[in-house]
Amino acid sequence: MSKPALRLRSWPLTVLYYLLPLGALRPLSRVGWRPVSRVALYKSVPTRLLSRAWGRLNQVELPHWLRRPVYSLYIWTFGVNMKEAAVEDLHHYRNLSEFFRRKLKPQARPVCGLHSVISPSDGKILNFGQVKNCEVEQVKGVTYSLESFLGPRIPTEDLPFSPATSCGSFRSQLVTREGNELYHCVIYLAPGDYHCFHSPTDWTVSHRRHFPGSLMSVNPGMARWIKELFCHNERVVLTGDWKHGFFSLTAVGATNVGSIRIYFDQDLHTNSPRYSKGSYNDFSFVTHTNKEGIPMRKGEHLGEFNLGSTIVLIFEAPKDFNFKLKAGQKIRFGEALGSL
């Protein structure tokens, strides 16, 4: 039997191996069979297809009488606080998508004016701190490559020479000012959280890079399980500059969150049926008529997810930048992340 055929036939056995009592399929090991790893088994699930199906289901208009029981179940399951919603009447939301993307009352999230960087969303702080050795922690003890996550800083076709690929050279492309350091912050949005995200500071967005990819779950348990999870998943990287140099915000997709929307980017289309693994699409907001890009004010609406997901901030700042956070804490949009 060929290796592909043997591998194919091993999938049903692997599922049984993890479902049945321990040792039930142990006799198969005598003939050389080994179960596929849990990670490989999970990666084989067609999460992009499932997410597109979920997205279409979200658009189906619910009968008026069914809206309250469906949304009430979701509110109870995920602890949603509807008193903060701009519209509290559950009958107002025609489908699940409208409910997920509900707006908040203006006074529900005051924006902190005393600190230079605020939380762009509601969520849970997974990790934060200085970027060391060009590795970023997705959760404590589990890292991913900064260059794999952001992609090359400068397109190689625009350079008169082949760019160096060492960690130091890539970091030097991001840190533009002497004495600055590179910082990161990872915020996980649970399904019950407010799904919109906002500008974390005053900055100018000059470039968008869209990585089509997998749509695996990004909950903290999965992030501990799969190395470089954020580099595998579909994501939209916005890069630009703030008063201290380089600044980026990345919206990472997840299972059932194929839809990532950036309000000022009408050309962005996520979770498309076809994509090449490892590919990315670039778009520049700098044009002949707009020499700088898209200016964003702190707290301004930036985009939204269709369910929970993850926001990753990577930026440069002076060495005396301090985070006002604790790993694992809950945070809300508008609250301080850190300042000088």
Side-chain angles (χ1 to χ4, degrees), residues 212-241:
S214 302
L215 287 171
M216 294 180 282
S217 171
V218 292
N219 71 61
M222 197 62 67
R224 294 186 187 93
W225 195 30
I226 300 178
K227 181 176 174 59
E228 296 203 330
L229 171 62
F230 296 162
C231 297
H232 291 302
N233 270 18
E234 181 161 22
R235 59 198 181 278
V236 176
V237 182
L238 300 178
T239 56
D241 297 277

Side-chain angles (χ1 to χ4, degrees), residues 322-334:
N322 291 310
F323 284 102
K324 312 294 183 181
L325 303 171
K326 293 182 180 178
Q329 80 172 67
K330 293 287 290 181
I331 198 165
R332 305 203 302 178
F333 155 61

Side-chain angles (χ1 to χ4, degrees), residues 4 25 30 36 38 40 128 148 183 208 214 243 282 309 337:
L25 296 182
R30 298 172 185 171
V36 177
R38 286 183 174 90
F128 63 92
S148 296
Y183 298 87
R208 179 258 291 161
S214 302
K243 61 183 178 181
D282 283 334
S309 196
L337 286 185

Side-chain angles (χ1 to χ4, degrees), residues 310-323:
T310 299
I311 295 284
V312 180
L313 302 180
I314 298 173
F315 56 94
E316 71 169 298
K319 292 181 179 180
D320 55 351
F321 181 88
N322 291 310
F323 284 102

Side-chain angles (χ1 to χ4, degrees), residues 7 59 94 127 141 145 155 182-183 185 212 223 225 248 254 272 274 279-280 289 295 302 305 332-333 340:
R7 191 182 301 116
Q59 300 293 333
R94 294 173 297 176
N127 224 302
S145 162
L182 208 57
Y183 298 87
C185 183
W225 195 30
S248 73
S272 58
R274 298 179 182 177
S279 66
Y280 57 83
T289 56
L302 183 54
F305 293 110
R332 305 203 302 178
F333 155 61
L340 297 171

Side-chain angles (χ1 to χ4, degrees), residues 66-334:
L66 190 58
R67 295 175 188 177
R68 178 173 291 277
V70 168
Y71 300 146
S72 294
L73 177 61
Y74 187 92
I75 290 168
W76 177 80
T77 302
F78 296 108
V80 178
N81 183 4
M82 283 303 293
K83 292 188 180 300
E84 297 178 334
V87 180
E88 296 184 41
D89 182 11
L90 297 181
H91 293 109
H92 169 80
Y93 303 100
R94 294 173 297 176
N95 52 48
L96 287 166
S97 180
E98 286 189 2
F99 178 72
F100 294 147
R101 296 180 290 109
R102 64 194 176 276
K103 304 300 182 185
L104 297 181
K105 294 173 181 174
Q107 67 274 20
R109 295 290 186 276
V111 174
C112 178
L114 299 178
H115 297 273
S116 54
V117 183
I118 62 168
S119 177
S121 66
D122 288 10
K124 179 181 180 180
I125 301 295
L126 294 189
N127 224 302
F128 63 92
Q130 282 191 20
V131 175
K132 298 180 179 178
N133 301 319
C134 286
E135 294 281 323
V136 182
E137 285 191 316
Q138 57 190 27
V139 293
K140 189 172 179 60
V142 181
T143 64
Y144 57 90
S145 162
L146 183 63
E147 187 169 8
S148 296
F149 182 68
L150 295 178
R153 173 67 166 146
I154 303 174
T156 55
E157 61 269 19
D158 294 341
L159 294 177
F161 55 88
S162 297
T165 56
S166 68
C167 168
S169 65
F170 182 72
R171 182 185 178 281
S172 67
Q173 294 179 30
L174 302 182
V175 179
T176 61
R177 302 182 185 181
E178 187 176 352
N180 279 2
E181 295 289 345
L182 208 57
Y183 298 87
H184 75 101
C185 183
V186 183
I187 305 170
Y188 168 68
L189 288 74
D193 287 326
Y194 170 54
H195 289 58
C196 298
F197 51 94
H198 301 247
S199 176
T201 192
D202 295 335
W203 65 307
T204 301
V205 184
S206 58
H207 186 268
R208 179 258 291 161
R209 176 167 287 163
H210 171 216
F211 289 85
S214 302
L215 287 171
M216 294 180 282
S217 171
V218 292
N219 71 61
M222 197 62 67
R224 294 186 187 93
W225 195 30
I226 300 178
K227 181 176 174 59
E228 296 203 330
L229 171 62
F230 296 162
C231 297
H232 291 302
N233 270 18
E234 181 161 22
R235 59 198 181 278
V236 176
V237 182
L238 300 178
T239 56
D241 297 277
W242 71 318
K243 61 183 178 181
H244 298 297
F246 172 78
F247 199 96
S248 73
L249 180 149
T250 301
V252 183
T255 307
N256 298 335
V257 198
S259 176
I260 302 171
R261 183 183 173 195
I262 305 297
Y263 294 140
F264 57 76
D265 189 354
Q266 302 304 314
D267 296 318
L268 175 64
H269 301 286
T270 58
N271 196 13
S272 58
R274 298 179 182 177
Y275 75 100
S276 299
K277 185 176 180 180
S279 66
Y280 57 83
N281 305 306
D282 283 334
F283 184 86
S284 177
F285 298 111
V286 177
T287 64
H288 292 295
T289 56
N290 182 1
K291 299 294 185 180
E292 295 186 358
I294 308 295
M296 298 297 300
R297 301 293 296 174
K298 184 167 64 174
E300 186 177 350
H301 279 84
L302 183 54
E304 62 187 37
F305 293 110
N306 226 4
L307 202 59
S309 196
T310 299
I311 295 284
V312 180
L313 302 180
I314 298 173
F315 56 94
E316 71 169 298
K319 292 181 179 180
D320 55 351
F321 181 88
N322 291 310
F323 284 102
K324 312 294 183 181
L325 303 171
K326 293 182 180 178
Q329 80 172 67
K330 293 287 290 181
I331 198 165
R332 305 203 302 178
F333 155 61

